[in-house]
Amino acid sequence: MKQQLVDKFLEIYGEGDEPGVYFAPGRINLIGEHTDYNGGHVFPCAITVGTYAAARRRTDSDLCLYSLNYPECGMVRSSLSDLAYRQKDGWGNYPKGVVQTFMSKGCRISGGLDILYYGDIPKGLGIGSSASLEVVTGLILKELMDLKDMSLVDIALFSQLAENEYIGTGSGIMDPFTIAMGKKDHAIFLDTSDLSYIYAPLRLPHEKIIITNSQKVRLAVDERYQERRSQCRKALEELQTVIAIRNLGELTAEVFEQVQEMIGDPVRLRRARHAVTENQRTIQAVEALKKGEIEEFGQLMNASHLSLKEDYEVSCEELDILVEEAWDIEGVLGSRMMGAGFGGCTVSIVENSAANEFISRVGQNYEKRTGRRAEFYVVETGNGAAVL
Ligand code: GLA
């Protein structure tokens, strides 16, 4: 991959110094969904697919971006003095946003760059392709602009800022953090209230992690995501009138029961209940995994799905059908919708011996019930962003 990308880079940008090559992965999340903007825990891991980039400094101050995934968009070229968001720049707005964010945070970007990207993250799955593109761009800036003090966590935070303020989506810290900090054979138990984390070993010699693409396009996901965020914020404010907490992630299920009547609306109450119980499930799941109780871990994944469906209402018919069909198969330890929801994919932990049956039966029954053809990916954990 490295040599191919370098050759392509030299073909597109011309001979000269050999470019550096960089990689940032995609991510999956085992449990802890819609907790990362509620100060709760998440338990994601980086995977082996991701975004590769070759990059080299220019002698002028232009930013030139080309993606092998979007050749129809051609070269996206901007001057460092004008990196404003432009509709016509399409995918190129993501890296532009990262450069702009670094500059607005006082990082010295002392010249232009040529960058060539290639990503092998399947599209539309919701497994962190935009954060992967942002983090790899951040890593290029750190390396080529000699930003010695910049850590991978800083890159993750700047990527989130670019996504929130430049692109305008309100996503949390889970994706860029995991993509920057991932570690092969480990998942990250991250406390999003203060970014403290531990790497939990995730060796599953007898099981596979299978991502199933529902092929349901996620519609109005940003709007509905923002609505959930503001419902949680409002519920938190109501609870803060009786209890000193900074976020919903600080509550145990028991304490929540005692104070929940302060939430003056049944929908908000369900949203907050999900944020609280999902965080507790995540903590329990990591404990279970440490003890090797993988069945218990799977049960918690299943409970996570029900809570996302009933209390948080971010699932959809297609995701529910995929999960129901998965639960029906012996050897499936856990299965749930993953990511923002309203379409996208599910994550399942399946015993090796049941993997083929899982793929054929879930696939057939899903097609019978929805007319859609699911896609299956057996994923491997991988490392976070790195210079190759
Ligand atoms: C999206 C966001 C994440 C997180 C998940 C839900 O993937 O990018 O920050 O909020 O939804 O857990």
Side-chain angles (χ1 to χ4, degrees):
M1 173 61 64
K2 190 174 168 184
Q3 196 51 47
Q4 271 165 294
L5 203 65
V6 168
D7 292 346
K8 201 76 195 158
F9 179 97
L10 296 173
E11 191 185 308
I12 292 172
Y13 290 111
E15 294 298 323
D17 291 346
E18 180 131 325
V21 181
Y22 311 85
F23 174 74
R27 68 100 186 94
I28 59 166
N29 186 23
L30 295 170
I31 191 163
E33 215 66 87
H34 287 277
T35 49
D36 70 340
Y37 50 86
N38 283 309
H41 292 79
V42 291
F43 196 48
C45 45
I47 53 178
T48 48
V49 291
T51 312
Y52 295 83
R56 173 173 84 185
R57 288 188 64 127
R58 291 177 61 89
T59 48
D60 61 13
S61 54
D62 281 355
L63 180 65
C64 296
L65 310 165
Y66 191 93
S67 169
L68 295 174
N69 299 90
Y70 301 98
E72 69 282 6
C73 298
M75 181 81 69
V76 178
R77 186 169 188 149
S78 332
S79 158
L80 288 179
S81 59
D82 177 15
L83 291 172
Y85 184 99
R86 287 202 177 79
Q87 197 80 38
K88 73 166 179 45
D89 289 344
W91 71 273
N93 284 303
Y94 289 84
K96 279 171 58 186
V98 172
V99 179
Q100 172 90 319
T101 304
F102 271 58
M103 288 166 77
S104 71
K105 287 287 165 189
C107 299
R108 191 162 174 269
I109 306 300
S110 52
L113 289 167
D114 287 331
I115 313 181
L116 172 68
Y117 294 93
Y118 170 69
D120 60 0
I121 300 182
K123 275 188 204 160
L125 271 181
I127 57 173
S129 57
S130 61
S132 174
L133 177 56
E134 289 154 0
V135 169
V136 81
T137 307
L139 181 63
I140 290 169
L141 294 179
K142 171 183 160 61
E143 295 296 322
L144 295 187
M145 297 297 152
D146 213 15
L147 305 172
K148 289 204 178 63
D149 295 337
M150 171 135 315
S151 68
L152 285 168
V153 174
D154 294 331
I155 293 177
L157 287 165
F158 284 7
S159 296
Q160 186 196 9
L161 208 61
E163 180 101 21
N164 292 171
E165 293 184 357
Y166 185 93
I167 301 293
T169 52
S171 48
I173 188 64
M174 170 169 74
D175 302 0
F177 192 96
T178 313
I179 286 165
M181 300 291 290
K183 189 166 155 182
K184 187 167 173 45
D185 292 329
H186 292 77
I188 308 179
F189 182 45
L190 171 68
D191 181 344
T192 62
S193 70
D194 60 5
L195 298 190
S196 58
Y197 63 95
I198 56 164
Y199 289 113
L202 184 72
R203 281 195 197 88
L204 299 172
H206 309 299
E207 296 86 15
K208 294 195 189 315
I209 303 174
I210 303 183
I211 299 298
T212 306
N213 185 358
S214 67
Q215 301 271 28
K216 163 89 193 280
V217 178
R218 300 184 294 164
L219 291 175
V221 60
D222 287 345
E223 239 167 79
R224 299 200 263 184
Y225 186 90
Q226 290 316 321
E227 186 188 43
R228 299 300 181 281
R229 276 190 91 133
S230 65
Q231 287 164 334
C232 286
R233 207 175 308 121
K234 181 89 201 327
L236 173 65
E237 283 164 17
E238 290 168 304
L239 294 176
Q240 283 170 330
T241 60
V242 290
I243 187 162
I245 48 168
R246 279 163 305 147
N247 50 56
L248 295 173
E250 283 172 41
L251 293 174
T252 59
E254 294 72 33
V255 174
F256 179 71
E257 287 237 329
Q258 289 160 22
V259 293
Q260 62 181 8
E261 66 199 30
M262 297 313 297
I263 303 175
D265 167 77
V267 173
R268 279 203 299 279
L269 185 126
R270 282 188 278 122
R271 303 297 188 252
R273 187 166 60 206
H274 169 77
V276 171
T277 59
E278 180 73 355
N279 183 43
Q280 297 300 314
R281 275 187 291 275
T282 307
I283 297 168
Q284 285 167 26
V286 176
E287 278 308 307
L289 188 70
K290 273 191 206 153
K291 290 191 226 140
E293 292 166 359
I294 187 76
E295 275 99 14
E296 163 85 5
F297 190 93
Q299 291 298 322
L300 289 159
M301 287 174 73
N302 297 345
S304 164
H305 182 79
L306 289 175
S307 179
L308 288 157
K309 175 185 174 189
E310 282 154 20
D311 276 351
Y312 221 59
E313 294 178 283
V314 291
S315 189
C316 61
E317 203 193 340
E318 289 80 356
L319 292 172
D320 291 341
I321 290 175
L322 282 179
V323 165
E324 277 167 29
E325 292 296 336
W327 287 349
D328 226 29
I329 294 172
E330 192 141 342
V332 172
L333 297 166
S335 184
R336 63 175 200 85
M337 59 150 277
M338 191 183 85
F342 309 110
C345 64
T346 64
V347 55
S348 309
I349 300 191
V350 184
E351 281 171 9
N352 289 337
S353 56
N356 287 341
E357 192 197 348
F358 175 91
I359 292 173
S360 70
R361 252 179 69 190
V362 173
Q364 276 168 20
N365 292 346
Y366 181 67
E367 191 169 352
K368 251 189 240 149
R369 292 175 68 181
T370 65
R372 291 175 196 270
R373 220 167 241 259
E375 276 173 356
F376 298 87
Y377 303 92
V378 176
V379 294
E380 306 277 336
T381 63
N383 286 317
V387 179
L388 295 184

